Amino acid sequence: MFLRLLAVALVAALPATARTVTDSAGRVVEVPDDIARVFAAGPPASILLYVVAPETLTGWPRALRPEERDYIAPPYRDLPETGRLTGRGGEANLERVLEVAPDLILDFGSVRDTYADLADRVQAQTGIPYILIDGRFENTPEALRLLGEVLGRPERGEMLAQEAEAIFARLDAILADVPQEARPRTYLARGPDGLETGMTGSINTEIIERAGGVNVADDGGRTRGLVRASPEQLIVADPEVIVTWDRTFHDRVWTDPLWAGIEAVENGRVYLSPTAPFGWIDRPPSLNRMMGLIWMARLFYPDRWEGDLRDETAEFYRTWYQVDLGDAELDRLLEWAEGRPPE
């Protein structure tokens, strides 16, 4: 079965006309002139693809949940679940990819050798071009421009890139007047007990640092990625602000003795991030973080970040997610951000 699918894919992968592109890993990849179907290798890639060219999506790595559907444009709410090739819980196999028969495979995130090697192997085994785009937060504008060019949607990619640059510039104008010692000491609480976090420099906490917070999970760069914090470490760090997307943690933190003496809890500065259709902090760490950056900048610098959150949320969802939210959907998001998520 696999060999038959492979033979079909190899024939289908020979376009009448083709061009070469250089991806973020420096790989030179031959792609079709016309790309109509793209397989997203993981959730970050699916969001990048959705905001630039949703009509090319062949499916979601994980099917949308009921509370997420209203925040996605109607034509794309019922796309099938395809699984993922990269990241935690990768379960898609090459037969599934070949059945989908995409013109291109896209991954968005790390471009380390491990991922480049995977892309090379999958491309060799399937005959389907596979590109990597750097998912670092600072690379957002260039990621949008690159994918826009690859997919033949340069105007859309450029427009979104300029939107991202404008958000970064607004924040940079604020931070220029805020010394490092005056920036809020912030902790990212993951999981129902809040003890999983991301170290400074990790993709999971880039948004905290980009928004002008100081990540208290910092050991001078010796450790990267996700770690488990101890209660003793939390007491010593004593963050001024805690952000989380975990509803269970947000519900229990106010009465849990472990967190009782933490400054953020005592001052009511524990904030819950919406996750519809995607998380505002990470989950996954993709372009959804641009909405989170707006929200977090307001949390950190309420007297400096100008604009109405309701209006900015509606505009972001219209521009990036291509969906016009009604009052009910907007109310649900804003109540969620105030700690009252939908049941």
Side-chain angles (χ1 to χ4, degrees):
M1 177 64 175
F2 176 76
L3 292 177
R4 185 169 73 251
L5 286 169
L6 180 57
V8 171
L10 289 172
V11 172
L14 298 175
T17 57
R19 58 202 159 95
T20 60
V21 299
T22 301
D23 71 8
S24 298
R27 300 167 57 253
V28 178
V29 181
E30 187 173 89
V31 302
D33 276 341
D34 297 314
I35 299 173
R37 294 171 56 79
V38 182
F39 188 98
S46 70
I47 298 173
L48 173 63
L49 187 58
Y50 174 68
V51 303
V52 173
E55 68 279 2
T56 66
L57 261 175
T58 56
W60 298 105
R62 174 186 59 75
L64 297 176
R65 294 169 178 162
E67 68 269 21
E68 299 165 345
R69 292 172 53 83
D70 288 343
Y71 300 94
I72 290 289
Y76 312 108
R77 293 172 182 171
D78 296 312
L79 291 177
E81 182 169 313
T82 57
R84 54 195 290 174
L85 288 172
T86 57
R88 290 184 173 185
E91 68 274 357
N93 55 42
L94 294 188
E95 286 196 29
R96 175 61 174 150
V97 175
L98 292 171
E99 288 170 358
V100 171
D103 300 313
L104 177 72
I105 300 171
L106 168 69
D107 198 13
F108 180 51
S110 174
V111 295
R112 296 195 308 266
D113 289 347
T114 300
Y115 293 90
D117 291 344
L118 173 64
D120 288 340
R121 289 199 310 273
V122 171
Q123 184 171 291
Q125 291 173 315
T126 63
I128 301 169
Y130 189 137
I131 66 169
L132 300 171
I133 296 183
D134 185 348
R136 288 176 300 118
F137 210 6
E138 288 296 332
N139 193 59
T140 296
E142 290 313 308
L144 289 161
R145 291 188 175 103
L146 176 56
L147 186 61
E149 292 291 341
V150 170
L151 298 182
R153 279 77 167 178
E155 297 85 0
R156 174 76 178 166
E158 180 61 30
M159 183 272 288
L160 291 171
Q162 291 184 18
E163 289 281 333
E165 287 170 341
I167 294 171
F168 286 155
R170 284 178 67 189
L171 184 54
D172 287 340
I174 292 172
L175 297 181
D177 295 327
V178 183
Q180 189 74 9
E181 61 271 16
R183 300 182 182 187
R185 293 176 292 100
T186 305
Y187 175 79
L188 171 64
R190 294 171 54 101
D193 64 1
L195 294 179
E196 183 180 68
T197 194
M199 300 297 291
T200 296
S202 78
I203 197 169
N204 307 94
T205 59
E206 277 185 306
I207 186 170
I208 290 174
E209 295 137 26
R210 190 63 183 84
V214 176
N215 185 4
V216 298
D218 187 353
D219 62 1
R222 293 189 299 277
T223 308
R224 291 293 181 95
L226 297 175
V227 298
R228 291 284 295 175
S230 70
E232 293 76 17
Q233 287 171 324
L234 284 168
I235 292 170
V236 171
D238 195 22
E240 300 169 72
V241 176
I242 296 172
V243 290
T244 185
W245 44 254
D246 193 284
R247 304 180 194 180
T248 300
F249 170 74
H250 190 266
D251 285 344
R252 68 186 286 185
V253 67
W254 310 106
T255 56
D256 188 332
L258 171 63
W259 299 86
I262 302 297
E263 181 177 344
V265 179
E266 291 182 335
N267 293 333
R269 300 195 68 189
V270 181
Y271 301 106
L272 180 64
S273 159
T275 57
F278 317 111
W280 285 10
I281 298 175
D282 61 357
R283 211 187 186 198
S286 186
L287 301 190
N288 42 305
R289 294 181 294 174
M290 295 304 300
M291 180 63 235
L293 192 62
I294 294 170
W295 172 67
M296 199 171 291
R298 292 176 60 87
L299 297 181
F300 290 169
Y301 307 105
D303 298 330
R304 295 170 179 258
W305 184 272
E306 298 178 355
D308 179 79
L309 181 59
R310 185 182 189 87
D311 291 343
E312 291 191 292
T313 302
E315 180 60 27
F316 182 90
Y317 276 66
R318 182 181 306 112
T319 301
W320 294 74
Y321 297 155
Q322 303 172 79
V323 59
D324 286 307
L325 299 182
D327 287 340
E329 289 77 31
L330 269 172
D331 288 344
R332 196 180 313 150
L333 279 178
L334 297 179
E335 290 172 0
W336 195 335
E338 292 174 358
R340 301 191 301 277
E343 296 297 331

